[in-house]
Amino acid sequence: MRDDYDRYGGDVLADFKRRGKPVELPTVEAEFDLVVEEVASDFCGSVTRVEGRTVELEDRHGKRRVFPLGPGFLLEGRPVQLVHPKAAPAGPKRTASGSIAAPQERARVARPSRIYVEGRHDAELVEKVWGDDLRAEGVVVEYLEGVDDLDAIVRDFAPSRDRRIGVLVDHLVTGSKESRIAEAVARGPFGTHVLVVGHPFVDIWQGVTPKALGIRAWPTVPRSIEWKHGICEAFGWPHADQADIARAWKRILSRVNTYTDLEPVLLGRVEHLIDFVTEPQ
């Protein structure tokens, strides 16, 4: 055998440095409501909480699971690694409605004017998004439990120029019962001092954007099925009694944090009412 023969062919690691570098995954901050899929488990859900080195996801059925931050996630089908969200930069504090928050102070004494909404769910949604603004303006929100008696309520209240009423009505579309009631109030003796506005949704629940709930669109419910029961059934949620419906609403309301979680048409209607009842005399 030749003395200079190398049976191992030289340095076996000589070409190692020429190999391609590992692909570096893009980093994405695990911000609230970001929808991702965890690769190992195929669990798809939106971010509900980041704590320490873990992230909690909630799927469309309300099931929650906790995973470690880092690689192993898909965002719109592309591999990413989740990282802890950065602290928001300092700036003017804003309310949930997007308004610049006033300096901390005691709530203003209530105005004589009022805003009425149809039911408890409507009132809770308005409070969550516009509560700070309403307290700063001294505006009280009350609910009617339906609009059938709206004309009588208006007459009892006897609104005037400095004592106005604003009313938010569900499903205010041409030809509906709600539209006929609103027209009757407008033609009545106090019509000048009453503003009735509405949104086209079957119920205030639909004022929450599908994106906020992690779905593509609100389910379509046949007219033969009570709408809220149909929605709960489509989501796979309990819906046997009113307590189940109340829990379903709390679940939906928990996904609303700011005005961006509501449909623009609903935002415009509520802002219009606030402007009307707080207009300088």
Side-chain angles (χ1 to χ4, degrees):
M1 180 181 295
R2 290 166 44 195
D3 292 338
D4 60 348
Y5 175 73
D6 185 349
R7 63 182 296 185
Y8 296 107
D11 185 358
V12 295
L13 299 179
D15 290 334
F16 183 78
K17 62 183 178 182
R18 291 196 290 269
R19 296 179 184 176
K21 294 182 179 180
V23 177
E24 190 168 330
L25 294 177
T27 60
V28 176
E29 294 182 21
E31 296 180 338
F32 184 81
D33 267 357
L34 178 74
V35 178
V36 294
E37 179 182 348
E38 201 277 329
V39 176
S41 63
D42 292 330
F43 187 87
C44 183
S46 58
V47 174
T48 55
R49 182 167 55 93
V50 176
E51 187 172 309
R53 299 182 181 180
T54 63
V55 57
E56 181 183 72
L57 304 181
E58 180 179 343
D59 69 10
R60 64 185 299 268
H61 301 295
K63 182 179 180 181
R64 297 189 178 191
R65 291 187 60 179
V66 176
F67 302 97
L69 288 169
F73 297 92
L74 298 179
L75 175 62
E76 297 180 349
R78 298 181 179 181
V80 297
Q81 53 180 326
L82 294 184
V83 297
H84 205 287
K86 298 176 183 176
K93 184 179 179 182
R94 293 185 177 272
T95 66
S97 70
S99 303
I100 296 177
Q104 196 75 13
E105 59 184 20
R106 295 180 63 184
R108 180 173 175 170
V109 175
R111 293 173 182 263
S113 299
R114 291 287 184 273
I115 290 178
Y116 287 98
V117 295
E118 281 208 49
R120 182 184 297 276
H121 296 176
D122 307 67
E124 289 174 346
L125 184 61
V126 169
E127 162 60 28
K128 186 160 189 182
V129 177
W130 287 275
D132 290 338
D133 304 307
L134 293 168
R135 279 184 287 278
E137 293 289 349
V139 176
V140 174
V141 175
E142 300 181 16
Y143 62 91
L144 303 167
E145 292 291 3
V147 296
D148 290 354
D149 297 325
L150 180 59
D151 187 59
I153 290 171
V154 168
R155 290 174 183 275
D156 288 343
F157 190 90
S160 60
R161 181 174 176 78
D162 58 355
R163 180 180 159 83
R164 299 180 177 186
I165 290 180
V167 186
L168 179 67
V169 179
D170 294 344
H171 200 231
L172 189 62
V173 295
T174 303
S176 66
K177 175 190 72 173
E178 291 81 2
S179 68
R180 292 191 293 273
I181 292 173
E183 290 166 3
V185 169
R187 292 192 303 266
F190 303 105
T192 305
H193 310 301
V194 179
L195 175 64
V196 181
V197 301
H199 54 73
F201 310 120
V202 175
D203 189 90
I204 196 68
W205 289 18
Q206 276 188 306
V208 179
T209 65
K211 181 180 178 182
L213 300 177
I215 59 177
R216 292 185 178 180
W218 280 91
T220 300
V221 178
R223 291 191 176 185
S224 59
I225 300 176
E226 199 280 326
W227 191 82
K228 289 177 181 175
H229 285 261
I231 290 296
C232 291
E233 185 175 0
F235 286 158
W237 297 346
H239 54 282
D241 53 31
Q242 191 56 38
D244 287 334
I245 300 300
R247 282 189 287 269
W249 168 239
K250 292 297 184 185
R251 204 169 191 169
I252 293 169
L253 186 62
S254 71
R255 307 306 295 273
V256 176
N257 294 284
T258 70
Y259 70 99
T260 59
D261 297 320
L262 301 183
E263 294 289 356
V265 65
L266 177 59
L267 294 173
R269 301 299 189 270
V270 176
E271 295 287 352
H272 192 184
L273 288 177
I274 295 174
D275 289 344
F276 178 76
V277 299
T278 59
E279 183 180 318
Q281 306 305 318

